[in-house]
Amino acid sequence: MPPVYINFNGEIIPADSTLLTIANRAFRYGDGLFESMRVMKGKLKFPELHAERLQKGMKALKIDGYSQADSWFLKEKVEELARRNKIKHGRLRLTVFRDAEGLYTPTQNKMAYCLEIQPVEEPRYFLNERGLIMDVYTELPKPLNWLSNIKTCNSLIYVMAGIYKQQNKLDDVFLINQNRYLCEANSSNIFVWYQNHLYTPALSEGCVEGVMRRVVIQLALDNNIPVTEAQINPEILNEADEVFLTNATKGIQWVMGYGVKRYFNRISKALMDELNKL
């Protein structure tokens, strides 16, 4: 059964309410950002990391009120909405947008938000049984600038990559940046296990600053797995022993194939076990 309620600017209202006008800046200009989160057993996972990233993004986009979007605010709003929808395990999307009039130039920088929740069956993170089959999406490289690390509402690159994925019957795609180096996957960060070392694209390569990326880097270091944030040539995908993706809603997902190359999942399994202990 779909969720019955959403939180719109602090008010719990029916999920099918008509709320946005044609002048909404998120609709018109993609003027906002969002946070994807996971609730398990009624509790928000990694609230401090989500709040830190959200505040950093709002500050960068000059949206007022970022100081109130702290971990206490996130936990309270998420857990309240989960209770109202009678959802114990779910994934959430918090969209924060600039509540203003004006054309490209806004009349003010006031914050507005909407919080949605979808139920998920699993009470913990599960590694995918069948590994993902992937390819590199090259039609639309991701530009490099300070907006690249933020989950903004401007998501056309991911939409086009998603259509490519669908048309080519793939499970996911690798995105490259304007310099043709590996950046991220369609909705995840990338990790590559190569010559007994774990690599992930550095933030300077234009990837989104993923919460699960941060968690997994720390888990790897805590378990004596060497990690380097680097500039990664897509050619490494032909030589790597293992490739996996991370995001806040699914945790870790292992990649089985890229072209004729096939990968193992030993490191991803070990890290997923550690992740479920947190």
Side-chain angles (χ1 to χ4, degrees):
M1 208 175 92
V4 184
Y5 300 105
I6 59 169
N7 180 326
F8 190 74
N9 287 326
E11 199 182 339
I12 305 280
I13 56 173
D16 58 358
S17 304
T18 304
L19 297 165
L20 305 182
T21 69
I22 198 96
N24 179 278
R25 294 188 65 85
F27 164 71
R28 274 199 170 173
Y29 307 119
D31 186 6
L33 71 168
F34 68 97
E35 200 67 27
S36 305
M37 300 172 284
R38 184 81 183 258
V39 67
M40 289 185 189
K41 299 173 186 168
K43 298 287 176 198
L44 176 62
K45 299 291 287 181
F46 312 115
E48 288 79 15
L49 295 181
H50 281 295
E52 188 185 321
R53 180 171 70 166
L54 178 63
Q55 290 181 320
K56 198 170 166 184
M58 287 175 68
K59 199 172 177 179
L61 296 183
K62 298 180 167 52
I63 296 176
D64 295 340
Y66 57 84
S67 58
Q68 77 178 73
D70 58 10
S71 59
W72 183 87
F73 169 85
L74 285 185
K75 278 194 290 193
E76 187 193 38
K77 301 302 177 193
V78 162
E79 291 164 19
E80 175 193 32
L81 189 62
R83 280 195 307 274
R84 285 296 297 273
N85 282 295
K86 298 183 171 60
I87 291 173
K88 274 194 169 177
H89 320 296
R91 65 172 180 268
L92 299 111
R93 176 181 163 123
L94 173 68
T95 307
V96 173
F97 57 94
R98 202 184 316 268
D99 188 10
E101 293 176 357
L103 300 175
Y104 284 140
T105 309
T107 53
Q108 59 177 8
N109 293 305
K110 193 179 159 195
M111 160 197 179
Y113 71 88
C114 182
L115 181 63
E116 312 159 65
I117 188 168
Q118 293 290 334
V120 170
E121 303 246 324
E122 301 93 3
R124 60 187 181 91
Y125 296 108
F126 280 94
L127 196 68
N128 47 321
E129 281 183 28
R130 192 182 74 82
L132 308 174
I133 300 294
M134 296 182 63
D135 201 352
V136 178
Y137 174 66
T138 57
E139 290 173 11
L140 203 57
K142 192 173 176 186
L144 289 175
N145 55 51
W146 54 266
L147 282 175
S148 310
N149 304 140
I150 303 170
K151 280 173 78 93
T152 71
C153 292
N154 185 336
S155 304
L156 273 175
I157 288 175
Y158 306 107
V159 171
M160 299 315 293
I163 292 170
Y164 176 89
K165 172 187 84 173
Q166 198 175 42
Q167 289 176 339
N168 290 277
K169 297 181 170 54
L170 299 162
D171 296 311
D172 209 325
V173 287
F174 299 107
L175 303 187
I176 54 169
N177 63 27
Q178 66 189 43
N179 298 327
R180 319 299 282 188
Y181 289 104
L182 278 184
C183 181
E184 59 199 357
N186 204 22
S187 58
S188 315
N189 289 107
I190 310 167
F191 285 81
V192 178
W193 179 244
Y194 173 69
Q195 294 185 346
N196 295 316
H197 199 104
L198 197 56
Y199 295 92
T200 191
L203 294 178
S204 54
E205 295 303 299
C207 63
V208 164
E209 189 174 357
V211 162
M212 191 55 66
R213 175 185 181 274
R214 279 183 68 177
V215 170
V216 167
I217 288 172
Q218 194 55 54
L219 277 177
L221 294 172
D222 291 347
N223 287 276
N224 300 314
I225 297 171
V227 187
T228 301
E229 297 180 56
Q231 186 178 72
I232 305 175
N233 192 310
E235 289 297 312
I236 200 176
L237 296 171
N238 296 314
E239 307 294 328
D241 296 309
E242 198 167 327
V243 179
F244 59 87
L245 312 181
T246 64
N247 68 28
T249 55
K250 290 184 178 176
I252 298 168
Q253 300 283 284
W254 71 284
V255 178
M256 180 171 69
Y258 162 70
V260 295
K261 179 71 181 173
R262 292 294 174 265
Y263 304 112
F264 301 108
N265 62 6
R266 183 176 63 87
I267 300 295
S268 42
K269 262 184 183 159
L271 287 170
M272 188 65 120
D273 288 344
E274 294 301 317
L275 175 60
N276 277 312
K277 291 176 189 172
L278 297 178

